[in-house]
């Protein structure tokens, strides 16, 4: 079809692989689309469901049998693109290459142990902060809000909303512990900070995982780069 094509298997894609690439096509299910989206800043994504009978395809927009027709639309400039809010993560001042499309999860590296951390919410010149004990924190976009976030008690919202939401999972509330920062909406220009008080993990879209040590500073905020998804 007159296109130069590079191939990469799911989860092996690296940022440097995208040099000189103008379009990324994921062929698989939602996990493949998520993995492909993580390194995209200004390049559009066409998410193709290769098995509609077995794959939910919540993030995909076409089935494999429609791919050739869609490529012709794209070459002619007749396609439509939507912008999906994403989440940016900064650890100790260094921006992570992976941008979350669904959610960011922070918790104890052992799921059966309590997560101990300090959380801060910055809005303009105001700061809320609190030490908490829970089973972890979810930061969700509208795209991810119908999945894990909803199952944990969150209220779903539109993928086009220009904010993210925070939800504390199973807060350890007893006589000595009363927490106030359990649910928050984080608008563009605002940010949350999580400082682990023990060893923890940070997971991006349940695909890419990073270890956190006590005292690390993790900044969570709406990304400057929404995902450009081809419809």
């Amino acid at each position: 079809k007159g296109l130069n094509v590079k191939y990469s298997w799911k989860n092996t894609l690296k940022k440097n692989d995208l040099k000189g690439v103008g379009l990324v096509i994921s062929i698989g299910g939602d996990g493949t689309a998520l993995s492909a989206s993580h390194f995209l800043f200004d390049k559009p994504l066409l998410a193709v469901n290769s098995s509609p009978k077995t794959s939910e395809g919540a993030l995909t927009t076409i089935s494999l049998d429609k791919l050739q027709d869609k490529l012709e639309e794209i070459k002619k400039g007749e396609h439509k693109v939507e912008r999906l809010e994403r989440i940016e993560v900064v650890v100790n001042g260094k921006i992570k290459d992976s941008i979350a499309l669904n959610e960011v999860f922070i918790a104890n590296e052992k799921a059966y142990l309590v997560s101990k951390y300090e959380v801060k919410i910055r809005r303009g010149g105001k700061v809320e902060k609190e030490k908490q004990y829970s089973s972890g924190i979810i930061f969700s976009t509208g795209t991810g809000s119908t999945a894990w976030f909803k199952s944990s008690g969150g209220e779903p919202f539109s993928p086009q909303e220009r904010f993210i939401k925070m939800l504390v999972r199973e807060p350890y509330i007893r006589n000595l512990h009363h927490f106030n920062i359990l649910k928050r909406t984080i608008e563009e220009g605002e940010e949350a900070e999580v400082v682990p008080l023990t060893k923890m993990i940070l997971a991006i879209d349940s695909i890419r995982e990073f270890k956190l040590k006590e005292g690390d500073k993790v900044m969570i905020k709406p990304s400057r780069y929404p995902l450009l998804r081809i419809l």
Side-chain angles (χ1 to χ4, degrees):
K1 298 295 181 177
L3 300 173
N4 293 320
V5 182
K6 296 173 64 176
Y7 294 94
S8 177
W9 288 102
K10 178 184 174 182
N11 296 343
T12 66
L13 183 69
K14 296 180 176 60
K15 186 177 179 181
N16 289 338
D17 295 335
L18 298 176
K19 290 181 179 179
V21 172
L23 166 68
V24 174
I25 303 172
S26 68
I27 300 178
D30 289 336
T32 309
L34 281 171
S35 184
S37 74
H38 286 169
F39 302 120
L40 303 184
F41 293 87
D42 56 355
K43 298 173 174 57
L45 172 69
L46 174 60
V48 180
N49 190 339
S50 61
S51 182
K53 292 183 179 180
T54 60
S55 175
E56 186 70 26
L59 297 176
T60 59
T61 54
I62 64 169
S63 55
L64 188 58
D65 60 326
K66 304 293 184 182
L67 178 56
Q68 294 296 344
D69 291 340
K70 182 59 68 174
L71 287 176
E72 290 300 323
E73 284 185 20
I74 293 171
K75 287 166 67 176
K76 295 176 183 177
E78 297 174 352
H79 62 290
K80 295 181 179 179
V81 176
E82 67 174 350
R83 298 162 63 91
L84 300 178
E85 184 72 282
R86 293 194 289 177
I87 303 173
E88 186 174 304
V89 178
V90 182
V91 179
N92 296 329
K94 185 176 180 180
I95 300 174
K96 289 294 183 185
D97 285 337
S98 302
I99 307 176
L101 177 58
N102 274 352
E103 77 279 314
V104 171
F105 179 60
I106 302 176
N108 195 300
E109 63 180 359
K110 296 182 178 180
Y112 54 83
L113 294 180
V114 67
S115 301
K116 301 176 183 179
Y117 54 87
E118 182 178 67
V119 61
K120 299 178 183 178
I121 305 294
R122 292 191 175 89
R123 305 179 188 279
K126 297 181 179 180
V127 179
E128 292 181 89
K129 66 178 181 178
E130 188 170 70
K131 287 185 178 180
Q132 294 184 345
Y133 304 86
S134 73
S135 61
I137 312 178
I138 295 176
F139 296 90
S140 178
T141 64
T143 301
S145 67
T146 58
W148 193 1
F149 180 78
K150 179 182 178 182
S151 298
S152 298
E155 190 70 28
F157 55 104
S158 170
Q160 277 72 46
E161 294 288 2
R162 304 298 296 272
F163 55 74
I164 61 177
K165 289 192 174 185
M166 183 197 91
L167 174 68
V168 175
R169 296 178 69 238
E170 301 171 324
Y172 187 78
I173 297 176
R174 294 293 185 271
N175 292 334
L176 296 178
H177 305 298
H178 298 278
F179 307 129
N180 297 310
I181 309 175
L182 297 178
K183 295 182 179 181
R184 288 293 185 272
T185 297
I186 303 170
E187 306 275 355
E188 292 184 340
E190 302 173 346
E191 61 187 21
E193 178 181 289
V194 179
V195 179
L197 301 179
T198 186
K199 292 181 179 179
M200 301 178 77
I201 57 96
L202 183 153
I204 292 179
D205 290 335
S206 300
I207 293 176
R208 291 183 165 87
E209 180 180 302
F210 305 92
K211 291 186 179 296
L212 301 174
K213 61 183 183 297
E214 182 177 349
D216 281 344
K217 292 185 178 180
V218 183
M219 308 299 295
I220 307 288
K221 57 186 178 181
S223 175
R224 297 164 289 169
Y225 305 100
L227 178 67
L228 305 177
R229 182 172 68 166
I230 295 176
L231 298 175

